[in-house]
Amino acid sequence: MLDEFSSAKAAPVWGFFVLVALYITGVVMVNKTSVSDGVILIFDQPIAHRSLTGAFSSISNLCLVMLVVLYKKPGFYVSLFALATSFPALITRILHHNYTVIPGIFVNCVMIIIIIIIYRTTSRSARYQEKMRDLALTDRLTGLPNRYAASEMMNGLIQKNEPFAFAVINLNYFKNINNAMGQQAGDKALIQIGNRWQKLADDGTTGTNDFVASQSGNEFSVIIRDYASEEQLRNSVERYADALKEKIVIDDSDFVLTASIGYATFPGDAKDGDTLLNCAYSAMIQAKKMDHTGLICRFETGMLGSSHTIEMESKIRSALDNGRFFFNLQPQFDMDHKLRGFEALARMKDENGQFISPGEFIPVAEKAGLVDRIDHEVLIGATAFIGEMVQKYHSDVILSVNASVRHLLRNGFVDEIREALNSSGLPAEQLEIEITESVMIDSVEKAIECIHQLTELGVHIAIDDFGTGYSSLSYLNTFPVDVLKVDQSFIIKMHSGEASKQYVAAIIAIGHVMNFRVVAEGVEETDQLEDLKEIGCDYIQGFLWGKPMSPEDAAKLMEEESVRCG
Ligand code: C2E
Ligand code: MG
Ligand code: MG
């Protein structure tokens, strides 16, 4: 179905007839000039008609070659037919003892060989290109078209100004299958569900013309065309939700899955692809918020945030899809300036190469449900890099990564950490997960369970921005925390008076009583450093001793450190 929007443009039909007409004219002229004794004046020079025969013959042969190159199969057969039909006339002439046509026969034979070679070569390369295109547009697991295919389809329809709806289907609690039965079972479930929806679209039972694609992991999309009314569109979307009611069987176990579905229409809700995607996703997130057992939500204007938020959301999506997320590393030191480790901080560039600060994109990503993907990019990149460095320099540096509350509470978070450790070779004891206090307030039990699993792996836990939330000491006691990071706002205030300094001193003292190490964030001045040394802080992280830097610069710092420490 995508072929109708293929980006490779076919040569125009009229060109085919122009080339055939040119060929015929060339052949007629060859026949005329080859037997003519006349002359023609070109720039006052008399030129014999016969000497033009070669030129006309070349033009007609060139037309045949172009027919094959531009029009593939039809061009090839027409060229072959044209060359074959010229043989009887040439042979008749030889029979009448006109041997001047022998070179013509020779040229025709060579031309046949040439066009066969050209045809075979171009068809092979076209087949190869087609295969590459199919691979690039197909989801390897389900065999469905992938999100690039969906966006190609969508852009094609937008260009043709054809109305359609875009539906995002997110499977609820999908990670439960992965957790309970393993990743392979999860894959089987995705394949079964994908097949079921593909069949639904192919059968045409929805009454609309549908294109099903796999967006990513447990997310699918459907582009719905040819609906006569909103009601018909809604019915069509409902068929996809209904298809889930039938249980799926994996390794003799039955499962019933539900999905949250959001949909929006072009051109009614959005006039371009990115906005349409945002609208559909906003509706899907709304569906998820309302009920976790499977709801369909049609997009409504109120679902979108401010235009700034919408713009930022589409920038984040585009940066995630186009590899414009990366990480910086900010060093942490002990009070004697010995390197303790690095905090990995997400960085993003927009499509113009402009940096956008995490302060802007993280809150939007949290709301849009994209922060898990950002955390994942940073986690995979930073563990791979530090894992390599640790092996190279036999270093014991700690890598701290930030995990958003949403990400931490998601099923499968611990598996993600385990996989990152396995693939990077970074020892678990050298990975620290920074979580903010709100985790403890939002979902205490789930958070405690997750943090316990992480500590069982050997991973350390740090409480980020300590002091800005509402954590009570009793909560802190329940959590197997290793590190408290005192927020920069307290460090800045230390100089405003003795009381503020004593406040930080108290946090550090309590931290030590509870057996935590304390990191002071945002240390910019020597005075702050001196005070922190005096009140017994363990580590500092701040512009004074090190700004967030590229992995290359972090590697240099580690090298210097390994030389310094022998
Ligand atoms: P954070 O985790 O508390 O990170 C420390 C922030 O303080 C970083 O800002 C760092 O550049 C900044 N900082 C460190 N030392 C100084 C200093 O001396 N002076 C000043 N003025 N700033 C200093 P950044 O990189 O802009 O990150 C801001 C926040 O965004 C982070 O605060 C964290 O909450 C969030 N964030 C960053 N990367 C990620 C990520 O990969 N995942 C998640 N979920 N959140 C992230
Ligand atoms: Mg942090
Ligand atoms: Mg912080």
Side-chain angles (χ1 to χ4, degrees):
M1 198 190 274
L2 252 186
D3 290 348
E4 60 182 297
F5 302 111
S6 166
S7 50
K9 275 213 167 115
V13 181
W14 57 262
F16 185 88
F17 293 106
V18 168
L19 286 172
V20 172
L22 256 174
Y23 170 76
I24 294 171
T25 316
V27 172
V28 170
M29 293 308 287
V30 167
N31 286 337
K32 284 208 159 168
T33 52
S34 64
V35 293
S36 164
D37 291 327
V39 288
I40 181 172
L41 283 180
I42 297 179
F43 296 120
D44 290 337
Q45 290 294 318
I47 309 277
H49 282 171
R50 277 180 203 219
S51 60
L52 294 175
T53 310
F56 286 119
S57 163
S58 304
I59 289 172
S60 51
N61 287 338
L62 188 66
C63 291
L64 297 185
V65 170
M66 289 188 46
L67 276 170
V68 182
V69 172
L70 297 177
Y71 297 95
K72 316 276 173 326
K73 210 173 197 174
F76 172 68
Y77 285 118
V78 165
S79 301
L80 213 57
F81 176 76
L83 288 166
T85 49
S86 64
F87 275 109
L90 293 170
I91 289 166
T92 317
R93 287 202 205 169
I94 290 181
L95 293 178
H96 288 88
H97 307 291
N98 178 358
Y99 299 111
T100 57
V101 295
I102 287 179
I105 292 186
F106 179 72
V107 169
N108 273 12
C109 292
V110 171
M111 274 308 291
I112 287 176
I113 294 169
I114 288 175
I115 65 164
I116 289 175
I117 292 173
I118 293 176
Y119 177 61
R120 286 187 57 138
T121 319
T122 51
S123 334
R124 209 176 299 148
S125 97
R127 268 202 306 275
Y128 178 72
Q129 274 179 22
E130 188 114 314
K131 202 168 162 200
M132 294 306 288
R133 201 177 112 81
D134 280 354
L135 279 176
L137 295 178
T138 306
D139 175 59
R140 281 228 295 242
L141 178 68
T142 56
L144 290 176
N146 60 17
R147 69 165 183 272
Y148 301 109
S151 95
E152 199 166 303
M153 169 73 135
M154 212 160 68
N155 292 337
L157 291 169
I158 291 174
Q159 252 174 29
K160 287 184 8 182
N161 209 13
E162 183 184 326
F164 66 96
F166 185 83
V168 188
I169 312 181
N170 184 291
L171 294 170
N172 297 321
Y173 298 121
F174 183 74
K175 284 277 174 191
N176 287 352
I177 293 194
N178 277 344
N179 288 347
M181 311 268 302
Q183 182 102 22
Q184 278 191 346
D187 288 352
K188 282 183 195 165
L190 289 175
I191 295 169
Q192 279 192 38
I193 290 164
N195 285 344
R196 203 178 277 180
W197 283 334
Q198 177 74 73
K199 195 163 170 293
L200 197 64
D202 289 349
D203 288 355
T205 33
T206 57
T208 47
N209 182 359
D210 305 344
F211 179 84
V212 178
S214 161
Q215 283 296 109
S216 67
N218 63 333
E219 217 157 75
F220 293 79
S221 65
V222 190
I223 292 173
I224 302 170
R225 301 155 73 185
D226 302 337
Y227 50 88
S229 61
E230 273 290 330
E231 204 189 338
Q232 196 188 1
L233 170 60
R234 175 85 191 186
N235 284 340
S236 182
V237 177
E238 277 172 2
R239 300 303 282 263
Y240 288 90
D242 290 347
L244 284 178
K245 287 185 181 152
E246 196 187 313
K247 64 182 186 221
I248 51 170
V249 185
I250 303 159
D251 303 338
D252 294 331
S253 302
D254 296 347
F255 291 91
V256 176
L257 282 171
T258 60
S260 302
I261 308 181
Y263 67 99
T265 57
F266 167 85
D269 300 319
K271 306 255 180 302
D272 66 87
D274 278 351
T275 317
L276 184 66
L277 227 72
N278 269 334
C279 294
Y281 271 97
S282 304
M284 185 272 283
I285 287 165
Q286 190 69 22
K288 237 186 213 323
K289 272 190 206 151
M290 285 156 69
D291 187 343
H292 271 270
T293 56
L295 246 183
I296 300 173
C297 217
R298 197 218 179 288
F299 170 76
E300 284 164 24
T301 328
M303 286 174 191
L304 286 179
S306 68
S307 63
H308 172 76
T309 314
I310 303 165
E311 203 185 313
M312 182 57 68
E313 199 180 316
S314 72
K315 279 186 179 168
I316 297 171
R317 273 186 212 290
S318 145
L320 278 168
D321 290 346
N322 296 294
R324 278 189 264 105
F325 263 99
F326 52 103
F327 63 92
N328 269 186
L329 294 164
Q330 186 178 24
Q332 298 172 345
F333 297 92
D334 72 8
M335 304 318 271
D336 297 325
H337 209 155
K338 182 179 177 296
L339 184 67
R340 172 196 187 238
F342 295 93
E343 175 176 4
L345 295 160
R347 295 290 178 260
M348 167 187 150
K349 272 189 206 167
D350 69 10
E351 59 281 7
N352 304 318
Q354 293 285 321
F355 280 100
I356 298 177
S357 87
E360 269 192 86
F361 66 74
I362 293 282
V364 177
E366 298 237 9
K367 280 208 189 97
L370 293 169
V371 79
D372 321 10
R373 285 179 67 191
I374 299 177
D375 284 355
H376 182 77
E377 293 275 319
V378 174
L379 174 73
I380 295 298
T383 49
F385 174 75
I386 295 287
E388 198 187 320
M389 291 299 120
V390 161
Q391 276 158 27
K392 187 168 170 190
Y393 298 115
H394 306 291
S395 162
D396 58 358
V397 291
I398 303 279
L399 169 69
S400 297
V401 292
N402 294 283
S404 86
V405 181
R406 205 193 120 101
H407 192 189
L408 181 95
L409 297 180
R410 221 185 61 178
N411 293 322
F413 177 75
V414 179
D415 291 337
E416 201 178 317
I417 299 289
R418 197 179 287 122
E419 273 167 37
L421 289 171
N422 287 344
S423 61
S424 66
L426 180 71
E429 307 71 50
Q430 286 176 249
L431 180 66
E432 186 169 87
I433 310 286
E434 295 191 7
I435 52 177
T436 51
E437 292 169 88
S438 51
V439 176
M440 305 180 215
I441 320 296
D442 283 1
S443 185
V444 188
E445 272 164 30
K446 181 117 196 247
I448 292 181
E449 188 196 318
C450 176
I451 290 171
H452 273 291
Q453 285 179 16
L454 287 173
T455 46
E456 269 165 32
L457 281 182
V459 170
H460 295 291
I461 304 294
I463 303 293
D464 203 355
D465 306 338
F466 186 75
T468 56
Y470 320 91
S471 53
S472 78
L473 288 176
S474 63
Y475 274 151
L476 275 187
N477 228 353
T478 339
F479 281 79
V481 171
D482 303 280
V483 171
L484 290 188
K485 295 189 79 180
V486 184
D487 190 62
Q488 187 189 15
S489 51
F490 298 103
I491 309 299
I492 292 174
K493 274 193 228 144
M494 273 202 312
H495 267 283
S496 64
E498 192 55 24
S500 303
K501 185 173 151 188
Q502 286 314 320
Y503 188 80
V504 178
I507 295 177
I508 293 173
I510 292 171
H512 284 167
V513 168
M514 296 175 105
N515 226 357
F516 304 146
R517 313 264 80 197
V518 181
V519 179
E521 290 190 287
V523 181
E524 291 184 354
E525 290 161 21
T526 328
D527 289 351
Q528 293 169 343
L529 175 70
E530 293 309 321
D531 284 346
L532 288 164
K533 276 185 182 169
E534 192 191 314
I535 56 181
C537 186
D538 301 294
Y539 304 107
I540 67 154
Q541 176 181 347
F543 292 176
L544 179 67
W545 277 350
K547 289 193 169 178
M549 56 182 79
S550 66
E552 292 74 32
D553 288 341
K556 278 186 210 142
L557 189 64
M558 285 181 78
E559 192 183 350
E560 282 163 23
E561 189 76 9
S562 85
V563 171
R564 203 160 63 87
C565 300

